[in-house]
Amino acid sequence: MVPAALLTGQTALVTGASRGIGRAIALKLGQLGAEVIVNYSSSAEQAESVVAQINESGSKAYAIKANIGEESEIELLIKTVLERSGQINVLVNNAGITRDGLLMRMKTEDWQAVVNVNLNGVFLCTRAVARPMLKQKQGRIINVTSVVGIMGNAGQANYAAAKSGVIGLTKSSAKEFASRGITVNAIAPGFITTDMTKDLDAQEILSAIPLGTFGTPEQVAGAVGFLAADPAAAYITGQVIQVDGGMVMS
Ligand code: NAP
């Protein structure tokens, strides 16, 4: 159990926080006392509703629109947060998309779009927060990858490659930043009930999950809250924590 208010006085940026897992993470970090920046790319109304919920719970929050597939928008996002909040203590790289299709027929633009948001975006956000975090000698970076990045998945070569890349990026940046008090970890969800998974064949997938159900966004957010909260997870870095109902065991 992570005690409430462990993140009081800290600022957390969650990318793709208007819906699904990112929304649950933003709410969790708000419950833990952080000021939360709710990033989104198109769902303005939903992002504002996440902000309102965090405000109601007694923490501060605001929303910023920025496309995590665009370097200039990421630079502006981080600059705006630093100007407005003066710090970024927790970065959760959550924004992600899918453009599924068999590799032989996969369009180059679908490969690029997924790698761009799901991998390049994580690199660009991490690089942009690195300097302020190194300066403050403290920070938590949590990257949302996927079990698909560990096991591969037919029809998701682009997504699996990007999510595997996120794991390599997590481990490398954990090694680079460790001496400055910054931890970098990844969360690898299995199948979680969100818009992203609503069209999948539930029966077929459920048979591969030992715990027998899809996960919830709140269950992923619980693991993120643990990694973000100081001092609970201070000695954990470079790790991939699976929240997958036992689907992938290595
Ligand atoms: P989701 O319900 O489709 O929500 C995606 C979120 O990302 C939305 O808030 C969306 O905001 C935002 N987003 C998408 N493209 C963006 C962009 N270019 N710039 C900024 N924000 C963007 O997806 P989810 O299921 O919550 O997935 C969240 C993360 O978990 C992703 O990284 C995904 O790969 C990962 N994951 C999910 C599952 C699962 O089973 N659901 C499993 C493993 C990993 P807008 O609506 O404003 O565009």
Side-chain angles (χ1 to χ4, degrees):
M1 259 292 280
V2 180
L6 267 178
L7 293 178
T8 300
Q10 299 202 17
T11 301
L13 167 61
V14 184
T15 68
S18 51
R19 297 183 283 117
I21 293 171
R23 173 182 179 277
I25 292 170
L27 294 175
K28 168 57 84 180
L29 298 179
Q31 278 164 20
L32 289 170
E35 175 191 42
V36 184
I37 293 87
V38 176
N39 159 253
Y40 68 98
S41 68
S42 57
S43 307
E45 211 171 293
Q46 284 163 288
E48 288 305 339
S49 126
V50 178
V51 167
Q53 254 181 280
I54 295 171
N55 288 335
E56 273 163 32
S57 76
S59 288
K60 288 197 279 182
Y62 55 92
I64 301 185
K65 177 180 163 88
N67 177 358
I68 296 304
E70 280 290 333
E71 181 168 0
S72 58
E73 295 195 27
I74 291 172
E75 296 293 332
L76 186 60
L77 166 70
I78 304 299
K79 187 168 171 275
T80 307
V81 176
L82 288 172
E83 278 170 9
R84 192 159 164 186
S85 300
Q87 58 181 9
I88 299 177
N89 307 93
V90 178
L91 166 68
V92 184
N93 285 306
N94 167 78
I97 59 168
T98 51
R99 296 277 188 280
D100 296 351
L102 292 175
L103 189 144
M104 255 176 65
R105 289 197 292 266
M106 185 173 284
K107 293 196 188 99
T108 308
E109 68 213 51
D110 288 339
W111 170 272
Q112 280 168 342
V114 169
V115 171
N116 207 27
V117 175
N118 296 14
L119 178 58
N120 296 349
V122 179
F123 159 66
L124 291 167
C125 287
T126 302
R127 191 180 64 181
V129 302
R131 204 177 297 276
M133 279 190 181
L134 289 171
K135 245 184 172 170
Q136 75 201 11
K137 294 193 168 56
Q138 181 273 338
R140 295 284 162 89
I141 300 174
I142 298 147
N143 298 325
V144 180
T145 176
S146 167
V147 289
V148 162
I150 299 167
M151 67 177 189
N153 200 19
Q156 288 198 308
N158 48 1
Y159 185 78
K163 292 299 189 183
S164 287
V166 167
I167 294 174
L169 174 59
T170 300
K171 293 178 180 177
S172 302
S173 45
K175 288 187 176 180
E176 287 193 24
F177 300 158
S179 66
R180 306 295 281 271
I182 300 163
T183 66
V184 189
N185 290 288
I187 297 286
F191 285 92
I192 310 298
T193 308
T194 68
D195 292 344
M196 189 176 270
T197 50
K198 68 180 185 314
D199 297 328
L200 298 177
D201 179 353
Q203 256 350 87
E204 196 188 318
I205 294 164
L206 283 176
S207 65
I209 303 174
L211 286 178
T213 57
F214 275 37
T216 65
E218 290 70 28
Q219 286 167 334
V220 179
V224 174
F226 166 69
L227 287 173
D230 216 3
Y235 201 53
I236 301 174
T237 198
Q239 302 305 308
V240 182
I241 298 182
Q242 293 169 219
V243 182
D244 67 354
M247 197 172 80
V248 179
M249 298 186 194
S250 48

